[in-house]
Amino acid sequence: MTAPRSGDPSGTSPPASAPVLPPLRIGRRVIESPVVLAPMAGITNRAFRRLCREYGREGTALGGACGASSLYVSEMITTRALVERNPETMRLIEHDPDEYPRSVQLYSVDPATARAAARIIAREDRADHIDLNFGCPVPKVTRKGGGSALPWKRDLFRAIVGAVVEEGGGRDIPVTVKMRTGIDADHLTYLDAGLAAEQEGVAAVALHARTAAQAYSGAADWAAIRLLKQTVTKVPVLGNGDIWSADDALRMVEQTGVDGVVVGRGCLGRPWLFTDLAAAFAGAPTRVTPTLGEVADTLRQHTLYLVDFYGNQEHACRDIRKHIAWYLKGFPAGSTIRSSLALVDSVASLDELLAGLDRDAPWPGEPAEGQRGRAGSPRKVALPEHWLDSRELSEEHRRSIAEAELSVSGG
């Protein structure tokens, strides 16, 4: 595929300077561009990861780097569903033949199930990297003590992390942790959890600098990322939150001293952000400014990759619908075409609608930049009853979480 054209608005590109950051080391894995694609449910499937990888490689070429461009993590996988070999879950952990490192994110509230899932991944050679989810703020997860609620229980957190690190270690599979700052402003957990994860042998720690109560609202607290970096000193620390552009990523590094960044909503409808990020961290000034025609070509390619992923054109078209507004953000596409694209049901109908766009329309600049995806609003976090009474796991909670994963759908 052909990447959108790159360059600065003046049409000239100053020479690249020295790299901003060295390659990111996750255990023995070396990630040339210190960027991680955050797991996003219903988004970071094999099709989208393929698209992002292709653009990431464009960026490493522009920046003069080589090798693995970034680390692209799968959707969140429930450990119970993996252990039970749920068919959809087994499909979600599949990777492209050229995908390396193969990365899987696991969700668990039970150390024994987490260990069993990690053992499957290790013994069956299903991934080269495991990330553990302790950041999900979704009520159906937190009300069972999972996701961003779990680090509050220090013993449970250590038990899960330690079990997965031990299983991964036998096959040289590094384990990382992704978390939030805490449940809410009065119940912060990130410093304790970061140190505990480091002591249990993780290869890196990533912090989304919002609480579960914030969900995706408000501003990410980059000062918390800086403090975590100052506290966790033996393994890389990665920052996540409010990275909408390569310049945002550079500012985060400057302000926090992190070893790399994790990008989520910023790449929605904009996989070429990985081109920008790879070039920026390599010290190159180049940024991608696609025309509407180039965006349309990318949208179409994304759809074709989804057809391959699902093996079903209709399912692929239903999936691509949620990406339409993100791809067209800021462009003069017109309400009629936008609404028709949101109902597209075949590649042929997609092609017909895309043909009606003004392919020469230039990158709109500011209107296409900034926040993508829903921010939501602050809320009270759903938690198990009496969850906040103690930092240690009670027998009552120990019994209740044994069934917690059953309420989180496979994958």
Side-chain angles (χ1 to χ4, degrees), residues 257-276:
V258 287
D259 303 287
V261 299
V262 180
V263 177
R265 293 174 296 153
C267 68
L268 296 176
R270 190 167 54 171
W272 54 86
L273 179 58
F274 290 96
T275 308
D276 286 352

Side-chain angles (χ1 to χ4, degrees), residues 60-85:
T60 52
L62 288 169
C66 60
S69 58
S70 297
L71 182 63
Y72 304 95
V73 187
S74 75
E75 298 180 66
M76 183 181 81
I77 302 297
T78 303
T79 54
R80 183 183 293 273
L82 178 55
V83 170
E84 294 177 351
R85 296 185 182 272

